[in-house]
mmCIF file with all atom_site columns, all heavy atoms in Angstrom:
data_model
loop_
_atom_site.group_PDB
_atom_site.id
_atom_site.type_symbol
_atom_site.label_atom_id
_atom_site.label_alt_id
_atom_site.label_comp_id
_atom_site.label_asym_id
_atom_site.label_entity_id
_atom_site.label_seq_id
_atom_site.pdbx_PDB_ins_code
_atom_site.Cartn_x
_atom_site.Cartn_y
_atom_site.Cartn_z
_atom_site.occupancy
_atom_site.B_iso_or_equiv
_atom_site.pdbx_formal_charge
_atom_site.auth_seq_id
_atom_site.auth_comp_id
_atom_site.auth_asym_id
_atom_site.auth_atom_id
_atom_site.pdbx_PDB_model_num
ATOM 1   N N   . ALA I 1 508 ? -20.270 46.258 -2.789  1.00 47.00 ? 697 ALA I N   1
ATOM 2   C CA  . ALA I 1 508 ? -19.220 45.656 -3.585  1.00 47.00 ? 697 ALA I CA  1
ATOM 3   C C   . ALA I 1 508 ? -18.744 46.624 -4.571  1.00 47.00 ? 697 ALA I C   1
ATOM 4   O O   . ALA I 1 508 ? -19.464 47.469 -5.195  1.00 47.00 ? 697 ALA I O   1
ATOM 5   C CB  . ALA I 1 508 ? -19.888 44.435 -4.412  1.00 47.00 ? 697 ALA I CB  1
ATOM 6   N N   . TYR I 1 509 ? -17.475 46.657 -4.698  1.00 44.00 ? 698 TYR I N   1
ATOM 7   C CA  . TYR I 1 509 ? -16.759 47.623 -5.581  1.00 44.00 ? 698 TYR I CA  1
ATOM 8   C C   . TYR I 1 509 ? -16.172 46.835 -6.780  1.00 44.00 ? 698 TYR I C   1
ATOM 9   O O   . TYR I 1 509 ? -15.499 45.779 -6.519  1.00 44.00 ? 698 TYR I O   1
ATOM 10  C CB  . TYR I 1 509 ? -15.636 48.390 -4.877  1.00 44.00 ? 698 TYR I CB  1
ATOM 11  C CG  . TYR I 1 509 ? -16.088 49.251 -3.823  1.00 44.00 ? 698 TYR I CG  1
ATOM 12  C CD1 . TYR I 1 509 ? -16.279 48.863 -2.562  1.00 44.00 ? 698 TYR I CD1 1
ATOM 13  C CD2 . TYR I 1 509 ? -16.352 50.634 -4.169  1.00 44.00 ? 698 TYR I CD2 1
ATOM 14  C CE1 . TYR I 1 509 ? -16.765 49.731 -1.580  1.00 44.00 ? 698 TYR I CE1 1
ATOM 15  C CE2 . TYR I 1 509 ? -16.870 51.612 -3.194  1.00 44.00 ? 698 TYR I CE2 1
ATOM 16  C CZ  . TYR I 1 509 ? -17.000 51.091 -1.926  1.00 44.00 ? 698 TYR I CZ  1
ATOM 17  O OH  . TYR I 1 509 ? -17.456 51.936 -0.929  1.00 44.00 ? 698 TYR I OH  1
ATOM 18  N N   . THR I 1 510 ? -16.399 47.297 -7.901  1.00 46.00 ? 699 THR I N   1
ATOM 19  C CA  . THR I 1 510 ? -15.703 46.528 -9.121  1.00 46.00 ? 699 THR I CA  1
ATOM 20  C C   . THR I 1 510 ? -14.763 47.650 -9.685  1.00 46.00 ? 699 THR I C   1
ATOM 21  O O   . THR I 1 510 ? -15.161 48.763 -9.948  1.00 46.00 ? 699 THR I O   1
ATOM 22  C CB  . THR I 1 510 ? -16.834 46.263 -10.128 1.00 46.00 ? 699 THR I CB  1
ATOM 23  O OG1 . THR I 1 510 ? -17.530 47.339 -10.580 1.00 46.00 ? 699 THR I OG1 1
ATOM 24  C CG2 . THR I 1 510 ? -17.788 45.212 -9.621  1.00 46.00 ? 699 THR I CG2 1
ATOM 25  N N   . SER I 1 511 ? -13.565 47.255 -9.910  1.00 46.00 ? 700 SER I N   1
ATOM 26  C CA  . SER I 1 511 ? -12.573 48.082 -10.429 1.00 46.00 ? 700 SER I CA  1
ATOM 27  C C   . SER I 1 511 ? -12.173 47.671 -11.829 1.00 46.00 ? 700 SER I C   1
ATOM 28  O O   . SER I 1 511 ? -11.808 46.611 -12.015 1.00 46.00 ? 700 SER I O   1
ATOM 29  C CB  . SER I 1 511 ? -11.277 48.064 -9.449  1.00 46.00 ? 700 SER I CB  1
ATOM 30  O OG  . SER I 1 511 ? -10.206 48.821 -10.051 1.00 46.00 ? 700 SER I OG  1
ATOM 31  N N   . ALA I 1 512 ? -12.248 48.582 -12.745 1.00 47.00 ? 701 ALA I N   1
ATOM 32  C CA  . ALA I 1 512 ? -11.928 48.334 -14.058 1.00 47.00 ? 701 ALA I CA  1
ATOM 33  C C   . ALA I 1 512 ? -10.406 48.064 -14.131 1.00 47.00 ? 701 ALA I C   1
ATOM 34  O O   . ALA I 1 512 ? -9.972  47.215 -14.917 1.00 47.00 ? 701 ALA I O   1
ATOM 35  C CB  . ALA I 1 512 ? -12.230 49.524 -14.936 1.00 47.00 ? 701 ALA I CB  1
ATOM 36  N N   . GLY I 1 513 ? -9.569  48.738 -13.322 1.00 49.00 ? 702 GLY I N   1
ATOM 37  C CA  . GLY I 1 513 ? -8.193  48.428 -13.294 1.00 49.00 ? 702 GLY I CA  1
ATOM 38  C C   . GLY I 1 513 ? -7.865  47.049 -12.924 1.00 49.00 ? 702 GLY I C   1
ATOM 39  O O   . GLY I 1 513 ? -6.960  46.368 -13.452 1.00 49.00 ? 702 GLY I O   1
ATOM 40  N N   . SER I 1 514 ? -8.532  46.614 -11.829 1.00 52.00 ? 703 SER I N   1
ATOM 41  C CA  . SER I 1 514 ? -8.273  45.240 -11.328 1.00 52.00 ? 703 SER I CA  1
ATOM 42  C C   . SER I 1 514 ? -8.691  44.152 -12.414 1.00 52.00 ? 703 SER I C   1
ATOM 43  O O   . SER I 1 514 ? -8.017  43.217 -12.562 1.00 52.00 ? 703 SER I O   1
ATOM 44  C CB  . SER I 1 514 ? -9.074  44.967 -10.019 1.00 52.00 ? 703 SER I CB  1
ATOM 45  O OG  . SER I 1 514 ? -8.688  45.882 -9.073  1.00 52.00 ? 703 SER I OG  1
ATOM 46  N N   . ALA I 1 515 ? -9.881  44.447 -13.077 1.00 49.00 ? 704 ALA I N   1
ATOM 47  C CA  . ALA I 1 515 ? -10.190 43.453 -14.043 1.00 49.00 ? 704 ALA I CA  1
ATOM 48  C C   . ALA I 1 515 ? -9.203  43.434 -15.227 1.00 49.00 ? 704 ALA I C   1
ATOM 49  O O   . ALA I 1 515 ? -8.910  42.351 -15.735 1.00 49.00 ? 704 ALA I O   1
ATOM 50  C CB  . ALA I 1 515 ? -11.557 43.961 -14.614 1.00 49.00 ? 704 ALA I CB  1
ATOM 51  N N   . ARG I 1 516 ? -8.743  44.532 -15.619 1.00 50.00 ? 705 ARG I N   1
ATOM 52  C CA  . ARG I 1 516 ? -7.709  44.533 -16.648 1.00 50.00 ? 705 ARG I CA  1
ATOM 53  C C   . ARG I 1 516 ? -6.341  43.872 -16.334 1.00 50.00 ? 705 ARG I C   1
ATOM 54  O O   . ARG I 1 516 ? -5.753  43.203 -17.121 1.00 50.00 ? 705 ARG I O   1
ATOM 55  C CB  . ARG I 1 516 ? -7.353  46.031 -17.051 1.00 50.00 ? 705 ARG I CB  1
ATOM 56  C CG  . ARG I 1 516 ? -8.496  46.674 -17.807 1.00 50.00 ? 705 ARG I CG  1
ATOM 57  C CD  . ARG I 1 516 ? -7.976  47.978 -18.532 1.00 50.00 ? 705 ARG I CD  1
ATOM 58  N NE  . ARG I 1 516 ? -7.253  48.832 -17.696 1.00 50.00 ? 705 ARG I NE  1
ATOM 59  C CZ  . ARG I 1 516 ? -7.751  49.777 -17.011 1.00 50.00 ? 705 ARG I CZ  1
ATOM 60  N NH1 . ARG I 1 516 ? -9.142  49.957 -16.795 1.00 50.00 ? 705 ARG I NH1 1
ATOM 61  N NH2 . ARG I 1 516 ? -7.056  50.587 -16.212 1.00 50.00 ? 705 ARG I NH2 1
ATOM 62  N N   . LEU I 1 517 ? -6.041  44.029 -14.933 1.00 50.00 ? 706 LEU I N   1
ATOM 63  C CA  . LEU I 1 517 ? -4.800  43.332 -14.487 1.00 50.00 ? 706 LEU I CA  1
ATOM 64  C C   . LEU I 1 517 ? -4.910  41.826 -14.474 1.00 50.00 ? 706 LEU I C   1
ATOM 65  O O   . LEU I 1 517 ? -4.069  41.160 -14.962 1.00 50.00 ? 706 LEU I O   1
ATOM 66  C CB  . LEU I 1 517 ? -4.529  43.793 -13.030 1.00 50.00 ? 706 LEU I CB  1
ATOM 67  C CG  . LEU I 1 517 ? -3.291  43.231 -12.324 1.00 50.00 ? 706 LEU I CG  1
ATOM 68  C CD1 . LEU I 1 517 ? -2.051  43.522 -13.186 1.00 50.00 ? 706 LEU I CD1 1
ATOM 69  C CD2 . LEU I 1 517 ? -3.205  43.634 -10.998 1.00 50.00 ? 706 LEU I CD2 1
ATOM 70  N N   . GLU I 1 518 ? -6.191  41.354 -14.184 1.00 55.00 ? 707 GLU I N   1
ATOM 71  C CA  . GLU I 1 518 ? -6.342  39.919 -14.211 1.00 55.00 ? 707 GLU I CA  1
ATOM 72  C C   . GLU I 1 518 ? -6.365  39.461 -15.697 1.00 55.00 ? 707 GLU I C   1
ATOM 73  O O   . GLU I 1 518 ? -5.881  38.352 -15.942 1.00 55.00 ? 707 GLU I O   1
ATOM 74  C CB  . GLU I 1 518 ? -7.667  39.548 -13.544 1.00 55.00 ? 707 GLU I CB  1
ATOM 75  C CG  . GLU I 1 518 ? -7.792  39.891 -12.019 1.00 55.00 ? 707 GLU I CG  1
ATOM 76  C CD  . GLU I 1 518 ? -6.712  38.985 -11.272 1.00 55.00 ? 707 GLU I CD  1
ATOM 77  O OE1 . GLU I 1 518 ? -6.442  37.899 -11.665 1.00 55.00 ? 707 GLU I OE1 1
ATOM 78  O OE2 . GLU I 1 518 ? -6.076  39.532 -10.237 1.00 55.00 ? 707 GLU I OE2 1
ATOM 79  N N   . ALA I 1 519 ? -6.843  40.236 -16.480 1.00 51.00 ? 708 ALA I N   1
ATOM 80  C CA  . ALA I 1 519 ? -6.874  39.849 -17.996 1.00 51.00 ? 708 ALA I CA  1
ATOM 81  C C   . ALA I 1 519 ? -5.489  39.787 -18.580 1.00 51.00 ? 708 ALA I C   1
ATOM 82  O O   . ALA I 1 519 ? -5.163  38.935 -19.313 1.00 51.00 ? 708 ALA I O   1
ATOM 83  C CB  . ALA I 1 519 ? -7.727  40.842 -18.807 1.00 51.00 ? 708 ALA I CB  1
ATOM 84  N N   . VAL I 1 520 ? -4.618  40.747 -18.086 1.00 47.00 ? 709 VAL I N   1
ATOM 85  C CA  . VAL I 1 520 ? -3.218  40.653 -18.503 1.00 47.00 ? 709 VAL I CA  1
ATOM 86  C C   . VAL I 1 520 ? -2.486  39.421 -18.025 1.00 47.00 ? 709 VAL I C   1
ATOM 87  O O   . VAL I 1 520 ? -1.717  38.861 -18.610 1.00 47.00 ? 709 VAL I O   1
ATOM 88  C CB  . VAL I 1 520 ? -2.483  41.964 -18.116 1.00 47.00 ? 709 VAL I CB  1
ATOM 89  C CG1 . VAL I 1 520 ? -1.073  41.954 -18.308 1.00 47.00 ? 709 VAL I CG1 1
ATOM 90  C CG2 . VAL I 1 520 ? -3.085  43.228 -18.890 1.00 47.00 ? 709 VAL I CG2 1
ATOM 91  N N   . LYS I 1 521 ? -2.852  39.160 -16.688 1.00 50.00 ? 710 LYS I N   1
ATOM 92  C CA  . LYS I 1 521 ? -2.116  37.933 -16.137 1.00 50.00 ? 710 LYS I CA  1
ATOM 93  C C   . LYS I 1 521 ? -2.522  36.642 -16.868 1.00 50.00 ? 710 LYS I C   1
ATOM 94  O O   . LYS I 1 521 ? -1.738  35.780 -17.021 1.00 50.00 ? 710 LYS I O   1
ATOM 95  C CB  . LYS I 1 521 ? -2.547  37.831 -14.679 1.00 50.00 ? 710 LYS I CB  1
ATOM 96  C CG  . LYS I 1 521 ? -1.872  38.817 -13.806 1.00 50.00 ? 710 LYS I CG  1
ATOM 97  C CD  . LYS I 1 521 ? -2.257  38.610 -12.285 1.00 50.00 ? 710 LYS I CD  1
ATOM 98  C CE  . LYS I 1 521 ? -1.550  39.567 -11.463 1.00 50.00 ? 710 LYS I CE  1
ATOM 99  N NZ  . LYS I 1 521 ? -1.959  39.347 -10.015 1.00 50.00 ? 710 LYS I NZ  1
ATOM 100 N N   . ALA I 1 522 ? -3.896  36.634 -17.277 1.00 50.00 ? 711 ALA I N   1
ATOM 101 C CA  . ALA I 1 522 ? -4.408  35.463 -18.000 1.00 50.00 ? 711 ALA I CA  1
ATOM 102 C C   . ALA I 1 522 ? -3.961  35.414 -19.482 1.00 50.00 ? 711 ALA I C   1
ATOM 103 O O   . ALA I 1 522 ? -4.259  34.423 -20.146 1.00 50.00 ? 711 ALA I O   1
ATOM 104 C CB  . ALA I 1 522 ? -5.886  35.333 -17.760 1.00 50.00 ? 711 ALA I CB  1
ATOM 105 N N   . ALA I 1 523 ? -3.372  36.442 -20.036 1.00 51.00 ? 712 ALA I N   1
ATOM 106 C CA  . ALA I 1 523 ? -3.066  36.513 -21.482 1.00 51.00 ? 712 ALA I CA  1
ATOM 107 C C   . ALA I 1 523 ? -2.055  35.511 -21.733 1.00 51.00 ? 712 ALA I C   1
ATOM 108 O O   . ALA I 1 523 ? -1.195  35.126 -20.878 1.00 51.00 ? 712 ALA I O   1
ATOM 109 C CB  . ALA I 1 523 ? -2.661  37.893 -21.799 1.00 51.00 ? 712 ALA I CB  1
ATOM 110 N N   . SER I 1 524 ? -1.886  35.195 -22.996 1.00 48.00 ? 713 SER I N   1
ATOM 111 C CA  . SER I 1 524 ? -0.913  34.223 -23.575 1.00 48.00 ? 713 SER I CA  1
ATOM 112 C C   . SER I 1 524 ? 0.499   34.912 -23.404 1.00 48.00 ? 713 SER I C   1
ATOM 113 O O   . SER I 1 524 ? 0.696   36.065 -23.766 1.00 48.00 ? 713 SER I O   1
ATOM 114 C CB  . SER I 1 524 ? -1.159  33.839 -24.938 1.00 48.00 ? 713 SER I CB  1
ATOM 115 O OG  . SER I 1 524 ? -0.135  32.982 -25.438 1.00 48.00 ? 713 SER I OG  1
ATOM 116 N N   . LYS I 1 525 ? 1.414   34.081 -22.789 1.00 51.00 ? 714 LYS I N   1
ATOM 117 C CA  . LYS I 1 525 ? 2.836   34.603 -22.586 1.00 51.00 ? 714 LYS I CA  1
ATOM 118 C C   . LYS I 1 525 ? 3.917   33.637 -23.164 1.00 51.00 ? 714 LYS I C   1
ATOM 119 O O   . LYS I 1 525 ? 3.550   32.553 -23.381 1.00 51.00 ? 714 LYS I O   1
ATOM 120 C CB  . LYS I 1 525 ? 3.108   34.806 -21.046 1.00 51.00 ? 714 LYS I CB  1
ATOM 121 C CG  . LYS I 1 525 ? 2.018   35.588 -20.322 1.00 51.00 ? 714 LYS I CG  1
ATOM 122 C CD  . LYS I 1 525 ? 2.167   37.122 -20.652 1.00 51.00 ? 714 LYS I CD  1
ATOM 123 C CE  . LYS I 1 525 ? 1.093   37.924 -20.112 1.00 51.00 ? 714 LYS I CE  1
ATOM 124 N NZ  . LYS I 1 525 ? 0.609   37.581 -18.819 1.00 51.00 ? 714 LYS I NZ  1
ATOM 125 N N   . PRO I 1 526 ? 5.064   34.120 -23.294 1.00 54.00 ? 715 PRO I N   1
ATOM 126 C CA  . PRO I 1 526 ? 6.133   33.230 -23.568 1.00 54.00 ? 715 PRO I CA  1
ATOM 127 C C   . PRO I 1 526 ? 6.403   32.127 -22.485 1.00 54.00 ? 715 PRO I C   1
ATOM 128 O O   . PRO I 1 526 ? 6.017   32.401 -21.362 1.00 54.00 ? 715 PRO I O   1
ATOM 129 C CB  . PRO I 1 526 ? 7.321   34.087 -23.778 1.00 54.00 ? 715 PRO I CB  1
ATOM 130 C CG  . PRO I 1 526 ? 6.796   35.468 -24.026 1.00 54.00 ? 715 PRO I CG  1
ATOM 131 C CD  . PRO I 1 526 ? 5.444   35.551 -23.286 1.00 54.00 ? 715 PRO I CD  1
ATOM 132 N N   . PRO I 1 527 ? 6.910   31.019 -22.949 1.00 51.00 ? 716 PRO I N   1
ATOM 133 C CA  . PRO I 1 527 ? 7.069   29.910 -21.974 1.00 51.00 ? 716 PRO I CA  1
ATOM 134 C C   . PRO I 1 527 ? 7.708   30.277 -20.615 1.00 51.00 ? 716 PRO I C   1
ATOM 135 O O   . PRO I 1 527 ? 7.176   29.796 -19.571 1.00 51.00 ? 716 PRO I O   1
ATOM 136 C CB  . PRO I 1 527 ? 7.881   28.782 -22.744 1.00 51.00 ? 716 PRO I CB  1
ATOM 137 C CG  . PRO I 1 527 ? 7.644   29.156 -24.215 1.00 51.00 ? 716 PRO I CG  1
ATOM 138 C CD  . PRO I 1 527 ? 7.496   30.691 -24.225 1.00 51.00 ? 716 PRO I CD  1
ATOM 139 N N   . LEU I 1 528 ? 8.705   30.965 -20.588 1.00 51.00 ? 717 LEU I N   1
ATOM 140 C CA  . LEU I 1 528 ? 9.429   31.217 -19.381 1.00 51.00 ? 717 LEU I CA  1
ATOM 141 C C   . LEU I 1 528 ? 8.731   32.248 -18.599 1.00 51.00 ? 717 LEU I C   1
ATOM 142 O O   . LEU I 1 528 ? 9.133   32.541 -17.426 1.00 51.00 ? 717 LEU I O   1
ATOM 143 C CB  . LEU I 1 528 ? 10.949  31.632 -19.619 1.00 51.00 ? 717 LEU I CB  1
ATOM 144 C CG  . LEU I 1 528 ? 11.958  30.470 -19.591 1.00 51.00 ? 717 LEU I CG  1
ATOM 145 C CD1 . LEU I 1 528 ? 13.380  31.045 -19.820 1.00 51.00 ? 717 LEU I CD1 1
ATOM 146 C CD2 . LEU I 1 528 ? 11.870  29.744 -18.210 1.00 51.00 ? 717 LEU I CD2 1
#
Side-chain angles (χ1 to χ4, degrees):
Y698 293 91
T699 60
S700 172
S703 299
R705 290 198 307 276
L706 179 59
E707 294 299 325
V709 170
K710 288 183 179 181
S713 177
K714 305 284 172 42
L717 265 181

